[in-house]
């Protein structure tokens, strides 16, 4: 189909200084968890987006010098010739599809701990970032940079920019955002200097200005130079000549970089979860930038709607439509708009599992796109699959995220698929979870897949079909795939931090009871040791129904694991807004219908809380009865010609939506292939030569 004419503006070529992007789709720098140690994994991950039509594809943070060392968090480097070769794999891959490659040169300043390099972190005035996130905490405080340090960082930036040009990058960044070094010079809280780099906004901007100047000198007319800058804090401070210091910064630098890449200041607002903010949430902070510069502006906002994208351009907010998460969830988003296939966009759900991968220190994972990060090592493509050599008749029982993804991928491979679910509508756990506060966008997991499945002639959908072993044997498919999900249990939790025992009382509820419409009576205590979103969101849900609710967890924070998805601060705010008392570091010991007894996790000291009901959000176990029943009927299965019974998703190993989708995709890819012991290709660093290093020579 042709492109909708009103979307054609998105496909105009755009200049970034001396280079030209083929369109306005700009994959802004984002963490991929793929360091230079995984150069082929990284190149293929980025290439998929270039193939899918993103006009500019950028790296994540790329350190310019060992004094910027974020380990154990993953980061790229441009320190030597081996690094150049590692990055060249990506630039070549991106160029194969006519897109530009950008590199986010980066110095972490006081926010890195240099755990590997063991150099002192650098900062304008010795002020550290005292993070509450355990992954970022450290006990090394930064050194105050003297003029020689500043000159050295400028030299490293210029040197890294020259290496970037050699590696084939078209756009080279200066990074002054998110608490990193350039940003620390901009903010008076970090910058207490009394020399020409501190004090007035003109002085605080000086370091960033010099970083841009040396970068431009280094790359000449071969690359565009982009400034990535966080504006949230500065936007809140009144300026002397402009409404805010953010305005003054842009005015001072207006003609210098070839592109402004503008963003928020902290990860929870910059990469905000859909649970707490919608599409385009950056606009109130960055909306003024274009009024002060003629240079192109790129910004993000989890944009997945082409109408919103067009409006951002026509309303003069942005020139480029920036995307990190939308490009992970659907590398082919631009191509689908260009080809009039908007309905096929696999929209990002804003769950932030992708960012949790970076916090975990592993390559990116995505709930919506199970192929993300698997392009090279497993050979998966976000849009194409190999056709099966010999199509089979496959029955999938359970149409939650795992069953839907498995059906879609098996259908694309040419199998004859029957998908049955006992419920009236498909979606499994999401049928309920999408109704919880802030989670409606998560249903995109279901919408995308059902939309495609309904178009496929070789997939039959059977809702309201409860299947037992007898029915399955009677249907006699070639294969059975069980995607029957998991159940929440009423198990408690021991001081050894493992699930233990059961709390058997009519006033005890699990999330499955709430999903089935059984609401607790009277004051309710939520005991959460699942630690992800469910405990917090159900607490909000009950409070919204007018039920007096309190929240207890053995962890140190409410919904403790959501620190990984940037949601934790906002979970606490949401609970506080609903006036929910939060008790941390406590176990639930017992409940008698009137009183719950809690014990401190470490001291064992007991406290009693009056409540009529208890909701336990703890351990999930597979719904495994059907698998067990089929296992006992091996002879009947063989007689019916059923060759295999496989399990996927939560019924195999209960997890997050991302695990279920990946599990469904994996089985669908593997059916009909010979699965080897080693399930994926292992990447290796590119090392042509390890340079000799002589300490005495280096010191001379
Ligand atoms: P996952 O996350 O692994 O996809 P879900 O719990 O979201 O798991 O979905 C499992 C689905 O399987 C639910 O919709 C449930 O109603 C369905 N289901 C479970 N047992 C059966 C069965 N015996 N017959 C048909 N559908 C079933
Ligand atoms: Fe979007 Fe979630 Fe995928 Fe991240 S993991 S890109 S937030 S769908």
């Amino acid at each position: 189909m042709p492109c909708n004419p009103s979307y054609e503006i998105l496909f105009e070529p755009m200049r970034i200084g001396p280079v030209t992007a083929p369109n306005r789709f700009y994959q802004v720098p984002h963490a991929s968890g793929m360091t230079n140690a995984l150069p082929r994994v990284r190149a293929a991950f980025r290439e998929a987006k270039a193939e899918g039509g993103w006009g500019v594809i950028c790296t994540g943070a790329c350190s310019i010098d060992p004094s910027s060392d974020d380990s154990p968090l993953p980061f790229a480097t441009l320190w030597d010739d081996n690094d150049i070769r590692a990055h060249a794999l990506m630039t070549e891959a991106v160029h194969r599809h006519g897109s530009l490659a950008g590199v986010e040169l980066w110095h972490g300043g006081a926010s890195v701990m240099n755990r590997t390099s063991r150099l002192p972190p650098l900062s304008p005035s010795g002020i550290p970032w005292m993070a509450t996130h355990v992954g970022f905490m450290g006990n090394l405080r930064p050194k105050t940079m003297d003029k020689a340090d500043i000159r050295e960082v400028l030299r490293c930036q210029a040197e890294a920019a020259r290496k970037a040009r050699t590696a084939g990058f078209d756009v080279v960044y200066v990074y002054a955002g998110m608490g990193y070094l350039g940003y620390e010079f901009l903010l008076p809280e970090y910058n207490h200097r009394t020399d020409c780099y501190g004090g007035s906004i003109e002085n605080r901007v000086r370091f960033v200005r010099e970083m841009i100047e040396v970068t431009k000198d280094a790359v000449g007319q071969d690359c565009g130079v982009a400034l990535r800058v966080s504006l949230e804090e500065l936007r809140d401070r009144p300026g002397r000549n402009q409404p805010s210091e953010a305005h003054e910064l842009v005015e001072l630098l207006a003609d210098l970089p070839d592109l402004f890449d503008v963003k928020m200041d902290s990860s929870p607002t910059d990469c905000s979860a859909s649970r707490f903010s919608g599409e385009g949430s950056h606009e109130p902070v960055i909306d003024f930038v274009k009024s002060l510069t003629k240079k192109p502006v790129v910004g993000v906002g989890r944009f997945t709607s082409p109408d919103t994208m067009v409006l951002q351009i026509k309303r003069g907010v942005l020139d480029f439509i920036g995307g990190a998460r939308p490009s992970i969830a659907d590398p082919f988003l631009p191509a689908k708009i260009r080809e009039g296939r908007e309905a096929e966009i696999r929209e990002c759900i804003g769950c932030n599992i992708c960012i949790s991968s970076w916090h975990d220190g592993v390559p990116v994972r995505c709930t919506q796109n199970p192929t993300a990060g698997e392009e090279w090592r497993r050979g998966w493509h976000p849009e194409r699959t190999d056709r099966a050599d010999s199509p089979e008749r496959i029955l999938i029982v359970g149409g939650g995220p795992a069953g839907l993804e498995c059906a879609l991928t098996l259908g694309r491979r040419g199998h004859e698929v029957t998908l049955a679910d006992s419920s009236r509508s498909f979606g499994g756990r999401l049928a309920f979870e999408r109704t919880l506060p802030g989670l409606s966008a998560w249903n995109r997991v279901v919408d995308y897949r059902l939309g495609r499945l309904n178009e496929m002639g070789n997939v039959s959908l059977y809702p309201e079909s409860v299947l037992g072993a007898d029915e399955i044997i009677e249907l006699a498919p070639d294969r059975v795939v069980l995607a029957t999900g998991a159940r929440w249990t009423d198990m408690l939790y021991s001081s050894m931090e493992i699930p233990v025992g059961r709390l058997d009382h009519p006033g005890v509820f699990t999330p499955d009871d709430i999903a089935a419409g059984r609401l607790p009576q009277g004051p309710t205590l939520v005991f959460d040791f699942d630690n992800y979103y469910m405990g917090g969101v159900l607490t909000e849900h009950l409070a919204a129904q007018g039920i007096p609710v309190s929240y207890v967890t053995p962890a140190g924070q409410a919904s403790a694991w959501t620190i990984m998805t940037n949601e934790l601060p906002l979970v606490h705010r949401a609970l506080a807004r609903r006036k929910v008392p939060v008790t941390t570091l406590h176990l639930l010991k017992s409940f008698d219908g009137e009183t719950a007894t809690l014990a401190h996790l470490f001291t064992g000291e007991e406290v009693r809380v009056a409540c009529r009901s208890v909701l336990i959000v703890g351990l999930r176990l597979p719904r495994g009865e059907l698998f067990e029943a089929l296992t006992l009927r091996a002879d009947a299965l063989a007689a019916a010609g059923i060759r295999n019974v496989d399990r996927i998703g939560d019924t195999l190993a209960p997890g997050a939506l991302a695990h279920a989708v990946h599990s469904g995709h994996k089985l669908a890819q593997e059916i009909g292939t010979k699965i080897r012991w080693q399930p994926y290709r292992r990447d290796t660093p590119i090392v042509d030569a390890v340079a000799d290093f002589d300490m005495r020579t280096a010191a001379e």
Side-chain angles (χ1 to χ4, degrees):
M1 277 193 291
C3 181
N4 178 331
S6 61
Y7 302 152
E8 278 169 5
I9 190 173
L10 299 170
F11 296 94
E12 291 171 348
M14 293 285 296
R15 289 193 71 79
I16 304 172
V19 298
T20 302
N23 59 42
R24 295 178 187 262
F25 289 94
Y26 193 116
Q27 182 248 282
V28 294
H30 72 77
S32 70
M34 299 157 191
T35 62
N36 288 17
L38 300 174
R40 297 164 192 85
V41 168
R42 182 172 65 185
F45 170 65
R46 304 282 185 197
E47 179 173 13
K49 303 179 193 207
E51 187 192 350
W54 293 84
V56 184
I57 313 286
C58 297
T59 65
C62 181
S63 169
I64 59 172
D65 179 67
S67 61
S68 179
D69 156 20
D70 221 1
S71 53
L73 290 164
F75 63 101
T77 52
L78 246 177
W79 298 347
D80 58 27
D81 288 351
N82 288 318
D83 288 345
I84 293 176
R85 282 187 280 274
H87 285 287
L89 289 187
M90 174 219 160
T91 59
E92 283 158 19
V94 165
H95 290 158
R96 273 198 284 278
H97 304 277
S99 304
L100 299 182
V103 59
E104 185 185 45
L105 296 185
W106 160 78
H107 196 293
S111 67
V112 293
M113 288 298 138
N114 293 344
R115 289 177 175 96
T116 301
S117 71
R118 305 203 63 179
L119 298 171
L122 298 176
S123 71
S125 305
I127 305 296
W129 177 40
M130 304 290 288
T132 48
H133 187 316
V134 72
F136 296 105
M137 283 180 194
N139 37 31
L140 178 59
R141 304 296 171 234
K143 175 192 179 202
T144 300
M145 293 168 81
D146 56 25
K147 289 265 175 62
D149 292 321
I150 292 178
R151 278 196 302 278
E152 181 59 9
V153 170
L154 291 168
R155 189 193 65 74
C156 291
Q157 170 78 15
E159 187 50 42
R162 277 188 285 276
K163 290 189 169 70
R165 183 181 57 186
T166 308
F169 285 106
D170 311 286
V171 180
V172 178
Y173 268 74
V174 171
Y175 197 3
M178 305 285 286
Y180 298 131
L181 186 59
Y183 177 86
E184 290 165 17
F185 272 89
L186 296 177
L187 271 203
E189 282 82 352
Y190 282 101
N191 183 348
H192 302 178
R193 297 179 78 94
T194 52
D195 63 4
C196 64
Y197 292 98
S200 66
I201 183 78
E202 288 81 0
N203 279 359
R204 282 181 273 134
V205 164
R206 188 180 312 276
F207 175 72
V208 175
R209 173 190 292 284
E210 290 176 357
M211 289 286 273
I212 301 170
E213 285 167 353
V214 297
T215 308
K216 291 190 89 160
D217 284 350
V219 299
Q221 285 304 298
D222 294 330
C223 311
V225 173
L227 170 65
R228 190 164 218 215
V229 62
S230 292
L231 297 174
E232 203 178 352
E233 286 285 344
L234 292 174
R235 179 92 203 238
D236 272 348
R237 287 150 212 247
R240 269 178 300 148
N241 315 311
Q242 287 280 349
S244 78
E245 288 201 339
H247 290 71
E248 291 185 336
L249 173 135
V250 174
E251 189 178 47
L252 284 166
L253 298 175
D255 298 326
L256 200 53
D258 298 314
L259 173 104
F260 280 86
D261 180 338
V262 289
K263 61 186 323 220
M264 308 292 263
D265 291 36
S266 73
S267 210
T269 52
D270 191 56
C271 180
S272 57
S274 62
R275 194 172 153 193
F276 300 105
S277 57
E279 196 176 19
S281 62
H282 292 204
E283 186 176 332
V285 168
I286 57 87
D287 57 356
F288 71 93
V289 178
K290 266 185 64 61
S291 67
L292 293 174
T293 176
K294 294 193 167 44
K295 300 300 172 96
V297 177
V298 61
V300 296
R302 211 161 27 76
F303 297 119
T304 56
S305 150
D307 292 317
T308 309
M309 296 174 194
V310 169
L311 276 175
Q312 289 283 309
I313 292 160
K314 293 211 162 149
R315 286 170 43 242
V317 183
L318 298 174
D319 297 297
F320 282 100
I321 302 301
R325 289 170 292 173
S327 74
I328 301 171
D330 196 342
F332 277 63
L333 183 150
K336 289 174 184 176
I337 297 173
R338 192 179 56 222
E339 292 158 16
R341 298 189 290 128
E342 301 79 67
E344 294 175 37
I345 294 173
R346 195 167 45 233
E347 289 183 284
C348 166
I349 70 167
C351 62
N352 283 359
I353 283 293
C354 48
I355 190 80
S356 80
S357 325
W358 180 68
H359 290 144
D360 274 337
V362 296
V364 72
R365 311 160 192 160
C366 173
T367 300
Q368 272 286 54
N369 176 12
T371 70
E374 305 283 19
E375 300 84 354
W376 184 84
R377 65 173 203 162
R378 284 196 159 97
W380 295 353
H381 188 275
E383 297 297 311
R384 293 188 299 272
T385 49
D386 289 342
R387 301 286 290 182
D389 292 336
S390 33
E392 299 180 54
R393 289 177 309 115
I394 302 178
L395 170 66
I396 303 173
V397 185
L404 287 168
E405 174 62 25
C406 192
L408 179 61
T409 307
L410 286 173
R412 285 179 171 163
R413 296 196 60 211
H415 292 286
E416 195 184 309
V417 181
T418 300
L419 177 63
D421 197 288
S422 50
S423 304
R424 194 177 305 160
S425 56
F426 288 95
R429 58 191 287 195
L430 277 171
F432 167 60
E433 292 181 22
R434 72 172 171 223
T435 68
L436 294 173
L439 297 190
S440 60
W442 288 24
N443 204 51
R444 291 171 172 183
V445 170
V446 181
D447 293 338
Y448 166 73
R449 290 172 176 79
L450 264 188
R452 310 287 69 70
L453 288 169
N454 281 321
E455 295 161 357
M456 296 172 107
N458 55 335
V459 178
S460 311
L461 302 176
Y462 291 95
E464 293 187 275
S465 306
V466 184
L467 297 191
D470 290 341
E471 290 82 6
I472 292 172
I473 290 164
E474 199 173 310
L475 284 167
D478 298 325
R479 279 175 179 274
V480 178
V481 177
L482 299 180
T484 50
R487 278 192 196 91
W488 292 93
T489 68
D490 53 12
M491 287 181 80
L492 288 173
Y493 187 82
S494 83
S495 53
M496 285 174 67
E497 309 204 40
I498 53 175
V500 66
R502 288 190 56 213
L503 191 57
D504 190 13
H505 188 282
V508 172
F509 293 74
T510 71
D512 291 329
D513 294 312
I514 316 294
R518 286 191 292 281
L519 278 185
Q521 301 299 307
T524 299
L525 182 143
V526 176
F527 179 55
D528 177 14
F529 63 91
D530 172 62
N531 296 328
Y532 191 18
Y533 60 94
M534 187 57 96
V537 85
L538 280 181
T539 304
E540 276 193 76
H541 176 64
L542 296 184
Q545 326 269 318
I547 297 172
V549 56
S550 57
Y551 174 96
V552 178
T553 178
Q557 314 251 27
S559 295
W561 194 79
T562 61
I563 191 77
M564 307 300 263
T565 52
N566 287 348
E567 294 166 291
L568 186 131
L570 300 151
V571 171
H572 276 265
R573 258 178 248 173
L575 296 181
R577 225 179 359 256
R578 303 230 185 238
K579 302 200 177 344
V580 174
V582 171
T583 305
T584 58
L585 297 181
H586 276 77
L587 307 170
L588 174 62
K589 300 277 285 187
S590 62
F591 170 65
D592 61 10
E594 299 287 334
T595 308
T597 303
L598 310 180
H600 192 278
L601 179 63
F602 303 136
T603 66
E605 194 178 331
E606 294 193 352
V607 283
R608 275 169 244 299
V609 179
C611 60
R612 298 289 305 280
S613 310
V614 164
L615 169 61
I616 299 177
V617 186
L619 182 69
R620 289 164 75 217
L621 289 175
R623 211 181 266 133
E625 305 82 355
L626 190 50
F627 181 72
E628 281 156 27
L630 289 171
T631 310
L632 293 174
R633 308 273 301 272
D635 291 346
L637 292 178
I642 299 173
R643 291 195 297 272
N644 281 79
V645 179
D646 287 301
R647 288 170 293 170
I648 54 172
D650 292 332
T651 200
L652 182 65
L657 296 175
H659 298 120
V661 172
H662 188 270
S663 164
H665 189 88
K666 182 165 175 291
L667 182 75
Q669 290 276 15
E670 288 173 350
I671 280 178
T673 64
K674 197 156 173 270
I675 305 165
R676 294 172 304 275
W677 172 79
Q678 177 67 45
Y680 54 83
R681 274 203 287 179
R682 294 181 70 191
D683 206 353
T684 49
I686 295 178
V687 183
D688 277 9
V690 178
D692 285 334
F693 183 72
D694 180 340
M695 196 65 204
R696 282 157 309 177
T697 318
E700 275 163 14

